[in-house]
Structure formats: C-alpha cells, structure tokens
Amino acid sequence: MSLVRLNIKGISYSQTQNGAYALILNEVDGDRKLPIVIGAFEAQSIAIALEKEIRPPRPLTHDLFKNFADRFDIVVKQVIIHKLVDGVFYSSLICERDKIEEIIDARTSDAIALALRFKAPIFTYKNILDKAGIYLKVDPTQENDPDNILVEDIINEEFELEDEQDDYFSKTTEELHNLLDEAVTNEDYEKAAKIRDEISKR
C-alpha cells in the first residue's frame, strides 16, 4: 500500500462533539482533507507546537517526552496513520536509537503533537484517505458525487470564532500584549493563540 504525506491544515472546535476539536490534515499532493476528532488538551498541545511565538512557562506532556527522547538520543523519524476502525484512527511512531528502528503504537493526536516537535513527516495509507478523505468545498457540478462530501457539519471552515475576534478587535495593542502574557501564565494557550493572531494582523 502506498503512503500519502499529510500536512496540518488547522484546528477547529468540533460542531458535532462538545469539548472536542477537529484536527484537519491536508493531502500534500492533492485536495483532500482528513478530519480527526481530538481532545482539548491534545488540540492545545498541537496549537502550541504550531505557534512558535508562544512558549509555555513549564513543559507540557509532549514537550517532556521530547526532552526525554533528546536526552537518550531517541528520534521520531515519522508518524504513520495506519488504520481506521469505527471512526477511530490508529497511528504508529517510527523511532530510531543507535541505528535501531522501533515502531511504537500511539493515539493519533499524541503522534501528531510529537511529530511537530520532532519535525517528523506525517503519512497515511492511500486506502485510508480514499475512505475518510473529504473536500472542504463542494463543486456544484459534482453535488451528487459521494466522494465530494460537504464538511460544514463537521468543522467551522473559518477555523476561528468570530465573537471572540470582535472582543479582541476593540482592545489596544498594549492591552492585547497584557492579555497574551496573562493567557500564557494561566496556560490558556488556545486563547493566547487567538490573541497573537489579532496582534499579528496589526
């Protein structure tokens, strides 16, 4: 089976499951997206790894794993999403130490959080993408195509909550920097990322 490389498109609050998030992976050489439902903690950890400007005051669990692996010369070479059963994705970490390769089972959300920290590529098999891959926008000429699925019921396509954006829009830049410091201190990294986005726009 051939492997397909994926990149992270974004993270959105899940419209179908309370307290959950949709991690959207993008096919590198195609238009399909792979949505994966993950928990709030894992979403926060992935968001922090994506936002280079936000540094937590203490290492999160995935940061601790990275520090531990670095200390003992363990490298995560790649992540493979290798199985899909009843809507649950299964992943493996391909690790190497002393030129010996090991395969470690992992939840997909944890595997991706670690892949970001190790700068490791993310792959899935073509048959999984054929089964679960979707398109963010529907082509009106292919409305009845079962492979062209509308994703608006699964994620918020804008990847941002407009009402919170409006709140930050009314703040001064100095107030936003103070809110950013406060959010990082309180380890509310989701809020910190949104504040940082508003600062970047200015």
Side-chain angles (χ1 to χ4, degrees):
M1 290 183 288
S2 60
L3 288 172
V4 178
R5 186 162 180 176
L6 304 169
N7 285 333
I8 295 175
K9 172 76 174 175
I11 301 174
S12 170
Y13 188 77
S14 175
Q15 302 297 306
T16 58
Q17 296 189 33
N18 289 334
Y21 290 78
L23 171 66
I24 311 300
L25 300 176
N26 186 66
E27 181 182 14
V28 170
D29 295 320
D31 297 323
R32 287 176 294 183
K33 310 293 186 288
L34 194 66
I36 300 173
V37 176
I38 62 175
F41 172 78
E42 292 78 14
Q44 188 178 78
S45 181
I46 290 169
I48 288 170
L50 291 170
E51 298 288 348
K52 304 300 182 185
E53 296 179 19
I54 298 175
R55 297 192 177 185
R58 297 175 296 168
L60 301 178
T61 303
H62 298 109
D63 298 321
L64 175 61
F65 185 98
K66 173 68 163 61
N67 294 339
F68 183 89
D70 287 345
R71 185 66 58 91
F72 291 97
D73 296 322
I74 300 168
V75 177
V76 174
K77 294 177 65 180
Q78 62 184 18
V79 164
I80 299 177
I81 303 170
H82 62 84
K83 187 166 65 172
L84 173 61
V85 179
D86 296 330
V88 177
F89 292 91
Y90 293 77
S91 295
S92 295
L93 299 171
I94 312 301
C95 305
E96 186 178 85
R97 181 172 183 255
D98 296 333
K99 297 183 179 179
I100 298 173
E101 194 171 273
E102 298 284 350
I103 300 175
I104 300 175
D105 184 40
R107 295 187 308 167
T108 299
S109 54
D110 290 328
I112 290 172
L114 290 171
L116 285 169
R117 287 162 171 81
F118 282 92
K119 295 180 173 58
I122 303 165
F123 296 94
T124 191
Y125 289 109
K126 183 179 181 298
N127 66 320
I128 292 177
L129 197 57
D130 289 341
K131 183 178 180 180
I134 58 176
Y135 294 88
L136 279 179
K137 294 182 180 178
V138 173
D139 183 344
T141 64
Q142 299 178 353
E143 191 171 351
N144 296 321
D145 185 349
D147 293 328
N148 201 349
I149 303 170
L150 184 64
V151 76
E152 288 177 357
D153 292 335
I154 303 173
I155 63 165
N156 170 9
E157 192 171 337
E158 296 302 321
F159 299 114
E160 293 175 323
L161 298 176
E162 296 297 335
D163 56 344
E164 290 190 16
Q165 278 188 311
D166 292 340
D167 289 341
Y168 298 138
F169 183 76
S170 63
K171 304 287 185 186
T172 66
T173 303
E174 183 179 351
E175 287 174 328
L176 287 174
H177 280 290
N178 291 335
L179 285 172
L180 178 60
D181 292 340
E182 182 182 337
V184 171
T185 300
N186 294 332
E187 300 185 9
D188 187 350
Y189 302 116
E190 181 187 353
K191 180 178 179 180
K194 290 172 184 172
I195 297 170
R196 187 206 60 80
D197 287 344
E198 180 61 34
I199 293 173
S200 297
K201 288 177 186 175
R202 300 184 183 188

